[in-house]
Each structure stands twice: as structure tokens, then as C-alpha cells.
Amino acid sequence: MTQPSRVAIVTGAARGIGEATARKLAADGLAVAVVDLDEGACANTVTEIHDAGGTALAVGADVSDPGQVTAAVERVAAELGPPTVLVNNAGVLRDNLLFKMTDDDWETVMAVHLRGAFLFSRAVQKHMVDAGWGRIVSLSSTSALGNRGQANYAAAKAGIQGFTKTLAIELGRFGITANSVAPGFIVTDMTAATAARMGVDFADFEKAATGQIPVGRAGRPEDVANTVSFLVSEGAGFVSGQVIYVAGGPRA
């Protein structure tokens, strides 16, 4: 069972999968730092956690900025305690076909997803090494297998998988595990944005996606949060370097 003394950082936790994960980890007994670009946007998540009897702290930070990441981790350590659980969830979309994709479309997605995971993992690992225990979970996606209009996003999410496997090799000797969760079709603001980009009604978009999912339903943020909850638990200490597809069926 997860010890209440654990401190977790969840990035991109103001909404969607990040919010659900922050709430789940708080319910599991962890103190949770709710990190997002806009600290004010974290207020709802933090309030819900507090109302449920948990401990949470809102932290504003650009995950792609080394200085802001360092400051965020130092603040968490000072106000909640040394973080030994990290969930790299922050993400953005800049979808477009390759010939229409701009330099900024590419760089922004790489910076938030891939550099953000690197910066936070690097900043937090020293606390995990000192504790002799740690859990890093980074969000990938089924898009890592390739997805039309998402050359940037697919490359970043595939990169997360290689990054995760390398962390597992480097940090395992210190009692730290590193795993990746790759969601499939999850009902969030980001999937709604994808439907809008394609000019498709979201209800129709969800129905079409569900028709391809073996379990016969779309995923919810809580489905991902429950998987993360296991991976950061005491009981998952012999699971490391893995990519878990939370997609309602086999994808890899």
C-alpha cells in the first residue's frame, strides 16, 4: 500500500488526464503538486482534492523552461516534502500534415512533451536517489505508432518511450522505476480539439473511434489515472521500463 508520506508531482494537471491522475493519487494518500502552465488553472483540481480530505499544492510552471522547472521542484520540496513520484503528463497539440507543419508546430510539441519530461525527471531524480525509492511515469500515446497529421506528436510520444526505457536502466539501481502509459482514445479536451481540426462533430468522432475499440467504449481520464496509480505504488516495484497501452485492446 502506498505510504501517505509520499509526495507526487503531476504535470499538466489542471484538466483531463492530469487532473484525474492528481485526484487519484491524492485519494491513494499521496500529497500532490498540481503543476500547469497557469497556476490559477490548477485551483479547481486542488480544491477538489482538499474537499476530499487530501493534500495538494498548485504550482505554475512552463515544463519546457529549465529555470521554471527547477524552481517548481524546489518549491514542492520546501512546501510538501521531497518528491519521489513524478507523472510527466503535460502536453499540447499542433496537428497538421507534414507539408503544412511549421517549425513552431514541431518545436512546441517537442518542447512540452519531450523536453518537459526530461527536465522534470532530471530535477526530481536527485530526491528519489536520496530516498532510495522513486516512481516516474511518463505519458506516451498510441500515436507513437504513427498517426496521420501528427508527425510532431507521434515523434515526441515515441521519444517518451525510449526515454522511459533508458531511465529504467540508469535509475533502477537506486530503487527507482520508470514506466510509460500510452493512452488510446480518451475523451478529453485534446481529443475534442482533434475532432474540431478534422471538422467532425465530436459525438460522431467518438462513435467512430469506439467502433474500433475491442472493449466497445471510449476511454476516460480515470482509466489512465488508475493505471498510473498502480505503477507508482509499492506493489509495482518490479515493473520498470514498460509501455502500458491503455487503449481498450492490443495496439503494439
Side-chain angles (χ1 to χ4, degrees):
M1 186 166 122
T2 304
Q3 298 180 13
S5 59
R6 303 290 188 206
V7 174
I9 292 175
V10 182
T11 68
R15 60 187 64 79
I17 290 172
E19 177 185 2
T21 299
R23 287 192 283 105
K24 174 59 178 170
L25 296 189
D28 289 344
L30 287 79
V32 181
V34 178
V35 178
D36 214 285
L37 184 61
D38 177 9
E39 184 170 322
C42 302
N44 185 61
T45 305
V46 170
T47 298
E48 288 187 359
I49 290 172
H50 286 165
D51 289 348
T55 301
L57 171 70
V59 179
D62 178 349
V63 301
S64 69
D65 184 295
Q68 291 190 39
V69 170
T70 297
V73 172
E74 289 178 350
R75 181 183 170 197
V76 172
E79 297 190 31
L80 292 179
T84 54
V85 172
L86 171 65
V87 182
N88 290 308
N89 169 76
V92 295
L93 290 176
R94 294 291 187 274
D95 293 354
N96 227 325
L97 295 175
L98 182 62
F99 77 99
K100 294 181 179 179
M101 188 170 288
T102 67
D103 293 352
D104 185 63
D105 290 338
W106 179 270
E107 296 296 342
T108 298
V109 169
M110 287 295 172
V112 175
H113 292 269
L114 205 47
R115 183 165 66 192
F118 159 66
L119 291 174
F120 259 99
S121 297
R122 186 178 64 179
V124 171
Q125 60 86 30
K126 60 185 177 183
H127 294 290
M128 298 179 177
V129 170
D130 288 345
W133 191 98
R135 300 284 189 265
I136 299 173
V137 178
S138 299
L139 272 289
S140 180
S141 168
T142 55
S143 290
L145 303 174
N147 199 27
R148 179 180 173 84
Q150 291 192 320
N152 49 4
Y153 186 77
K157 291 307 192 182
I160 286 289
Q161 296 187 15
F163 177 66
T164 292
K165 290 177 182 295
T166 302
L167 291 188
I169 293 168
E170 291 188 6
L171 301 177
R173 58 186 288 219
F174 302 107
I176 302 167
T177 66
N179 291 286
S180 179
V181 174
F185 187 90
I186 309 292
V187 177
T188 65
D189 291 344
M190 287 183 75
T191 49
T194 299
R197 173 181 62 84
M198 298 171 63
V200 179
D201 177 76
F202 186 70
D204 293 336
F205 188 61
E206 180 178 348
K207 183 178 179 180
T210 301
Q212 304 299 313
I213 300 173
V215 300
R217 69 170 176 87
R220 304 296 179 196
E222 290 73 19
D223 292 314
V224 182
N226 288 333
T227 304
V228 174
S229 172
F230 166 69
L231 290 173
V232 307
S233 71
E234 299 287 342
F238 204 57
V239 180
S240 195
Q242 302 306 303
V243 179
I244 310 298
Y245 283 86
V246 183
R251 294 301 298 267

